[in-house]
Amino acid sequence: MASSALSSSVFTSPCSLSSRVYGDSLLLISRTRCGPNRLRSSRKFYRVRATTLQENEKKVEVEKSFQPKSFPDEEGKGSGEGQSSSKLEGWIIKLEQSVNVLLTDSVIKVLDAFYHDRSYARFFVLETIARVPYFAFMSVLHLYETFGWWRRADYLQVHFAESWNEMHHLLIMEELGGNSWWFDRFLSQHIAVFYYFMTVFMYMISPRMAYHFSECVERHAFETYDKFIKLQGDELKKLPAPEVAVKYYTGGDLYLFDEFQTARLPNSRRPKIENLYDVFLNIRDDEAEHCKTMKACQTHGNLRSPHSYTEDDFDHDGASNRL
């Protein structure tokens, strides 16, 4: 079954592939190429709006993932076959997203039960889990490369940068003592192992579904940090920033810091870290940037390294114009 699906995706007309989202499970591994101009014109970008908080701002919103009705399958409207295909894909997307929401809600309930009054421990568990999908994505992509099925360096670059960012979130939580209890380490590590294999399986079946699930997790992380900042902001401003946070956000080469933020111009975001409030503010904004990237990934071929674009691809505020 896998070989037949592979052959059908590999030998599909190159120009027809550029306008399709993940219609079948193995479209991701297709080696088909379109010309660079055709590819650029056919990309459709779905932007997640996230405002970078300043201290005097009250609200930050992350737009939820696109729904099936927003999928732009306009090509088949003239024929019954095209309409049927569009409706079928819409139902598949709706099913995928419903399953993802159910899974995310289940994890949230577990975290709420154990960590309703232990914020740093909750953040430690959350960051241990949140970095797993990017490793899972890279594992599958390396496997596809080994088989000679699919190769695109930008995906590996960006996913590694996302993993690098989440790892530093985890290091910050460890420095704050979030991993001090044996139970917290045991729970987070075992959930992470299960989550890894589940994500690998999901990514091989439907990359779109796997990316949407990761977006759900990142959105929950964003909302969790946002709520924490609003409740504890005054206290956090009185506490010093962990050394690992200062080094990550303000020192050294920030290439990887820019790399995972695919909807903004490199060098357009340079955080200040003066206290613990600033640390959590920037972690929260990092999660919003992950949401943007995960959303873009849900349309096949959308993801590119932000370092591969020119300033003309962004507006004057450094936000992506790639719509």
Side-chain angles (χ1 to χ4, degrees), residues 157-290:
Q157 288 177 218
V158 172
H159 291 335
F160 177 78
E162 289 175 297
S163 177
W164 187 254
N165 175 257
E166 297 288 11
M167 183 193 74
H168 282 83
H169 292 179
L170 183 62
L171 293 175
I172 291 169
M173 298 313 155
E174 289 178 350
E175 192 165 331
L176 292 172
N179 66 333
S180 58
W181 288 18
W182 174 88
F183 173 78
D184 299 328
R185 299 193 299 273
F186 178 88
L187 180 65
S188 62
Q189 290 165 1
H190 282 75
I191 291 177
V193 171
F194 173 79
Y195 187 25
Y196 169 77
F197 287 104
M198 185 193 77
T199 305
V200 166
F201 177 76
M202 185 185 293
Y203 196 62
M204 295 180 76
I205 298 300
S206 173
R208 177 183 59 207
M209 183 178 182
Y211 284 130
H212 177 261
F213 186 44
S214 186
E215 182 194 349
C216 291
V217 173
E218 297 292 3
R219 190 188 314 128
H220 169 67
F222 170 89
E223 293 169 351
T224 301
Y225 287 120
D226 189 52
K227 181 180 178 180
F228 178 72
I229 290 169
K230 291 174 181 176
L231 292 175
Q232 304 292 333
D234 292 338
E235 291 299 320
L236 294 173
K237 291 176 183 178
K238 301 175 184 178
L239 299 173
E243 184 179 355
V244 64
V246 176
K247 288 182 178 179
Y248 175 67
Y249 284 110
T250 65
D253 186 356
L254 294 178
Y255 182 92
L256 287 175
F257 178 73
D258 291 329
E259 183 72 3
F260 78 90
Q261 303 179 71
T262 57
R264 65 167 58 245
L265 191 67
N267 302 311
S268 64
R269 181 184 168 212
R270 286 295 177 262
K272 66 171 186 177
I273 302 293
E274 297 177 354
N275 49 46
L276 193 56
Y277 177 85
D278 291 337
V279 174
F280 278 99
L281 197 68
N282 282 289
I283 292 175
R284 195 246 3 229
D285 290 346
D286 288 348
E287 306 299 357
E289 295 297 335
H290 286 300

Side-chain angles (χ1 to χ4, degrees), residues 3-15:
S3 61
S4 62
L6 174 61
S7 61
S8 65
S9 65
V10 170
F11 295 104
T12 304
S13 170
C15 293

Side-chain angles (χ1 to χ4, degrees), residues 286-306:
D286 288 348
E287 306 299 357
E289 295 297 335
H290 286 300
C291 283
K292 297 177 187 181
T293 299
M294 290 296 94
K295 191 170 185 178
C297 286
Q298 291 167 52
T299 301
H300 176 61
N302 253 6
L303 189 65
R304 281 179 58 186
S305 164

